[in-house]
Amino acid sequence: KRSQLRQLFKGAGYEIASGIEALIAAGHPPSVVWDYTPRQMAAFTFLAVKRKDRESHTALGLLLLAQNDQQAIKKQFDDWEKDM
């Protein structure tokens, strides 16, 4: 019986393949990614997700600044202080 957490199409090795694809999409050279250990892949993926979140927060902040909503701007700066 398959785990309830893993869908049918996610066979053995799915997480590794997903990590490889994500790191290549994040700009890591494919020839280098294939040599990463699973622990290295997890660490680099974690860092890439954190970087993407920061970039999204920055874009949202710029949008709020462009709209000149002082309350939203203050909230955004408070959120940034918590995240950094």
Side-chain angles (χ1 to χ4, degrees):
K1 180 179 172 180
R2 286 197 179 261
S3 168
Q4 296 298 324
L5 299 175
R6 187 182 292 183
Q7 295 177 357
L8 291 176
F9 71 90
K10 294 182 179 180
Y14 175 84
E15 289 84 7
I16 292 174
S18 177
I20 289 171
E21 188 280 329
L23 290 171
I24 292 170
H28 290 247
S31 60
V32 175
V33 172
W34 281 100
D35 291 332
Y36 289 162
T37 65
R39 184 174 284 188
Q40 287 173 311
M41 280 191 270
F44 282 126
T45 301
F46 174 81
L47 293 172
V49 167
K50 294 300 263 184
R51 183 184 66 246
K52 189 74 166 170
D53 287 347
R54 283 192 311 272
E55 291 170 354
S56 296
H57 287 165
T58 300
L60 176 60
L62 292 174
L63 178 62
L64 292 173
L65 287 172
Q67 293 176 347
N68 201 22
D69 180 351
Q70 295 302 319
Q71 184 177 4
I73 292 169
K74 181 179 179 345
K75 183 181 179 320
Q76 183 62 50
F77 278 117
D78 291 342
D79 289 346
W80 281 340
E81 285 181 6
K82 284 189 279 186
D83 289 342
M84 299 300 161

